[in-house]
Amino acid sequence: MMNRKIIFTGLIILIFSQICNAQNFRISGRIADGITKEPLSDALIHVKETGAYTLSDIDGNYSLSVKSGTHILSATYIGYIQKDIRIQANKDLIVNFEMESNNQLGEVIISGSNMGERVKSTQMGIEKLSATEIRRMPALMGEVDIIKAIQLLPGVQATSEGGSGFSVRGGSSDQNLILLDNTTIYNPSHLMGFFSVFNNDVLSGLSLYKGDIPLKHGGRLSSLLDVQTKTDSPKRIQGSGGIGLISSRLMVEGPVGESTSWLIGGRRSYADLFLKLSADENLRSSSIYFYDLNVKLTHRLSNKDRLELNGYFGVDKFGADVGMFSYGNGAASLTWGHIYSEKLLSRISLNLTKYNYGLSSRMEGMEADWKSGITDWMLRLDFNQPINDLWNLNYGTNHTLHNFQPGIVTMPGRMVDLQMEENKAMEHSIYLANEQKFSERFSAKYGIRYSIFQNIGAATVFHYDDNYEEAGSTVYPSGRIYNTYTVAEPRVGFVYNLTNTSSLKVNYSHNAQYIQLANNSASGSPLDIWFSASPNIKPQHVDMFSAGYFHNLNDNAFETSVEVYYKDLKNVIDFAEHSNLLLNDKLDGEIRTGTGKAYGIEFMVRKNTGKLTGFANYTLSRSERTIPEINQGKTYLAPFDKTHTANIVANYELSKKCSISAIFIYATGNPTTYPTGRFEINGEYFPIYSGRNEDRRPDYHRLDLSFNFIPRPNTQKRWKGEWNVSLFNVYGKKNAWMITLNQDRDTGRPYAEMIYLFGIVPSITYNVKF
């Protein structure tokens, strides 16, 4: 009897909910630039009468439900005039918006995220920068760099002076997933980190997710950096470029008929050309340069089908008579976007990424070539199904084949070359997410990602005892799956809108990571080796809790936020003292695992409109590790712990022709280990070190300035030029890049010596659009 009542009650609730929803209609459509027809992602569409809202996806598509009656739909996007459309909702409708640029208004509006999005969105810990905002920042050596830009965001720190590595909320640089058009980039640096692989001319913008990673992505503990190239459909051939002191770039795009568009962009540094003018013969024979190429082809098969082919290829070379060092990234993706109906959309993509590096020696009697790298093949299927306010579903699956090549060394004249065993692994995942609006004030997002990681033969797995001494091995044949890990990764978030301009958010996420870098230095290098989880190395896990208050002021001209977070890490990886990481087939024996935690608070203020724009932020944080075999089991600071970090970015428009920009950075020095004493044996002195990371390098601070000059801002000609003059490190602060310990030959007394990279670095660049 009781079961019948429960069933009957459930049916009544189901029927009642359907009746209540019977007068709701689905409104969907596409948001695009009115001239170029470029889709506008993350545009805000809201119903003025009810406050209901949604954001457009990467293809500019949106969908939301409204009650029967007359409504005004409003679409807003940074840099465009707000557009309102009156609708009569008595059936499901398709309403498209073609937005008009507001460049003629004279007021500067500059932000990577849509105004109001940070308050209303259920997403938390997300930072966005537009290509325009990045372009206005002072640049090292005149080259605009998105990695340097995100290092200025709250909770993000540079791992070394001038480098492209970054730490998010106390994590290591390999805990960041970096995507270019949904394809993994394993090394985002050029010229050992002074530049990044991202050419700002071909980009539409970026999104950085600090822990609260969307469920369709995974495999990293700390963050997702999602970089997207331009998706516009130009009506004619157009382009942009720039000539700097050490590098130049050019991007050209155009249409092929009415349904196809193309884009190609390239960069090349030319420091090596100046070396050839040197009076020193050794310098004349040296080379140091990079080049890269971006290509994109977009074809609209129909109003419901779109194909995209993206490609990236980049190479760095450093050479002299004695040898050559090189490394490079390659990435390609083919994506098909399809609209089944206004309530079901899909994106299916095949991605390839390849990172490799090589080192060659031409010294007499020591000729050798060393090659290493990693290659991934990935298949992704992503679906979005917005049904109503209670069910906005995202689901899909992805499958990746990893191929790790730790190293091959060939030596002329030797019968047998040294070749590390190639490792293969498969990574699979399936996910289901829902975004649910309970009321006009309260919304939630929740879901789960189920990931599987499998090691594949051929492989030799070494076994170790409790003292990490080798205790035999097992050989697995080719193609055999000899180890499997599975992890359920739930994620949930809530937002409560206190008013139309303020909200409270809380979030929980569980992430797992199966591949990581073998790196025992804080600054990192292109020779770092990627390796995977195995029978000896368990996947890393993190449980992250975060909460925040978001408040916009003065009609969204100012955005403010305060976020707190706590990360509980398991199976975190570090390396034994004096470990051997290169060309070591027993790398598992050098690894030590334990637990960790990171916590902090982040303050952010951003000004979006007016002549003065920019942002300021401050982060107070701590990151620790506890590993039984390291530091005598005592807790120690993680390598990228920084107690205090503050950043100020300001842009001021003096006139239509002139603007100035400034950046100020302050950060606590990285943890390090210094000697605390010494002992003598037969006249030789040897240092006695403190516990791991008990000391710190000197604090870091720097001021950068730039001046932009547009000779003819109102010209109707297609050729529009701009001059940029930048000063990096204006007051010449000698920030430590490396600290070495030496010993005086006469007295035997030890002393420390600091190595720094940059004094004052001026640069001048001529940028052009046509």
Side-chain angles (χ1 to χ4, degrees), residues 249-282:
R249 66 191 193 279
L250 178 66
M251 183 279 294
V252 183
E253 59 181 336
V256 179
E258 296 184 356
S259 301
T260 305
S261 63
W262 55 270
L263 177 149
I264 182 169
R267 293 185 297 173
R268 214 286 194 177
S269 66
Y270 32 74
D272 56 314
L273 302 181
F274 293 110
L275 293 177
K276 296 185 184 301
L277 303 177
S278 172
D280 189 302
E281 184 177 350
N282 291 327

Side-chain angles (χ1 to χ4, degrees), residues 274-311:
F274 293 110
L275 293 177
K276 296 185 184 301
L277 303 177
S278 172
D280 189 302
E281 184 177 350
N282 291 327
L283 287 178
R284 286 201 305 271
S285 62
S286 301
S287 62
I288 172 171
Y289 66 91
F290 76 84
Y291 63 86
D292 60 24
L293 181 71
N294 291 87
V295 294
K296 184 163 192 167
L297 184 65
T298 304
H299 180 68
R300 188 168 291 279
L301 300 170
S302 67
N303 290 333
K304 294 186 176 182
D305 294 277
R306 174 179 172 139
L307 282 177
E308 283 186 8
L309 177 63
N310 296 281

Side-chain angles (χ1 to χ4, degrees), residues 512-587:
Q513 180 165 338
Y514 299 101
I515 65 173
Q516 48 270 315
L517 272 177
N519 173 16
N520 56 8
S521 70
S523 58
S525 82
L527 295 178
D528 296 339
I529 297 172
W530 287 92
F531 65 100
S532 71
S534 69
N536 294 313
I537 306 170
K538 295 180 180 179
Q540 300 181 75
H541 295 257
V542 64
D543 291 289
M544 192 176 90
F545 306 85
S546 55
Y549 173 70
F550 300 81
H551 190 187
N552 290 1
L553 304 167
N554 195 20
D555 196 21
N556 293 323
F558 291 89
E559 297 178 351
T560 66
S561 63
V562 180
E563 294 186 50
V564 295
Y565 67 89
Y566 179 87
K567 297 165 68 173
D568 181 26
L569 300 105
K570 296 180 177 62
N571 302 329
V572 293
I573 286 176
D574 211 329
F575 297 91
E577 300 288 351
H578 313 296
S579 55
N580 175 27
L581 304 183
L582 298 180
L583 296 176
N584 184 357
D585 60 355
K586 301 180 180 63
L587 182 64

Side-chain angles (χ1 to χ4, degrees), residues 97-337:
F97 288 85
E98 292 193 351
M99 307 295 285
E100 180 183 351
S101 173
N102 65 358
N103 291 338
Q104 72 274 16
L105 296 181
E107 182 184 43
V108 178
I109 301 178
I110 180 166
S111 174
S113 58
N114 198 14
M115 289 187 291
E117 177 187 348
R118 286 175 63 88
V119 170
K120 295 182 177 181
S121 172
T122 55
Q123 196 74 46
M124 193 176 168
I126 182 174
E127 305 288 348
K128 294 186 177 184
L129 291 174
S130 68
T132 302
E133 191 171 10
I134 296 169
R135 195 177 298 119
R136 287 172 173 262
M137 295 180 181
L140 172 62
M141 302 182 189
E143 185 72 22
V144 174
D145 191 339
I146 72 166
I147 298 293
K148 301 294 189 301
I150 67 167
Q151 291 172 353
L152 302 171
L153 298 174
V156 185
Q157 295 93 26
T159 55
S160 65
E161 166 79 321
S164 291
F166 59 96
S167 167
V168 176
R169 292 181 169 176
S172 56
S173 58
D174 65 339
Q175 293 176 356
N176 306 314
L177 177 61
I178 302 174
L179 299 179
L180 176 62
D181 289 324
N182 272 332
T183 305
T184 305
I185 300 295
Y186 279 101
N187 185 348
S189 71
H190 277 313
L191 289 184
M192 306 296 288
F194 296 142
F195 302 104
S196 80
V197 300
F198 302 111
N199 181 351
N200 197 60
D201 285 345
V202 306
L203 304 181
S204 61
L206 64 89
S207 300
L208 177 69
Y209 300 85
K210 300 180 295 186
D212 183 18
I213 299 173
L215 274 161
K216 66 180 179 180
H217 299 294
R220 298 296 188 275
L221 299 187
S222 290
S223 76
L224 162 67
L225 176 60
D226 188 8
V227 183
Q228 298 291 333
T229 55
K230 298 174 70 174
T231 56
D232 55 354
S233 302
K235 295 299 183 182
R236 56 176 173 80
I237 294 178
Q238 60 189 37
S240 61
I243 301 174
L245 295 180
I246 67 168
S247 67
S248 294
R249 66 191 193 279
L250 178 66
M251 183 279 294
V252 183
E253 59 181 336
V256 179
E258 296 184 356
S259 301
T260 305
S261 63
W262 55 270
L263 177 149
I264 182 169
R267 293 185 297 173
R268 214 286 194 177
S269 66
Y270 32 74
D272 56 314
L273 302 181
F274 293 110
L275 293 177
K276 296 185 184 301
L277 303 177
S278 172
D280 189 302
E281 184 177 350
N282 291 327
L283 287 178
R284 286 201 305 271
S285 62
S286 301
S287 62
I288 172 171
Y289 66 91
F290 76 84
Y291 63 86
D292 60 24
L293 181 71
N294 291 87
V295 294
K296 184 163 192 167
L297 184 65
T298 304
H299 180 68
R300 188 168 291 279
L301 300 170
S302 67
N303 290 333
K304 294 186 176 182
D305 294 277
R306 174 179 172 139
L307 282 177
E308 283 186 8
L309 177 63
N310 296 281
Y312 169 83
F313 178 73
V315 171
D316 284 71
K317 289 186 179 292
F318 308 83
D321 288 338
V322 296
M324 172 71 73
F325 167 58
S326 64
Y327 65 94
N329 290 278
S333 64
L334 177 63
T335 303
W336 171 40

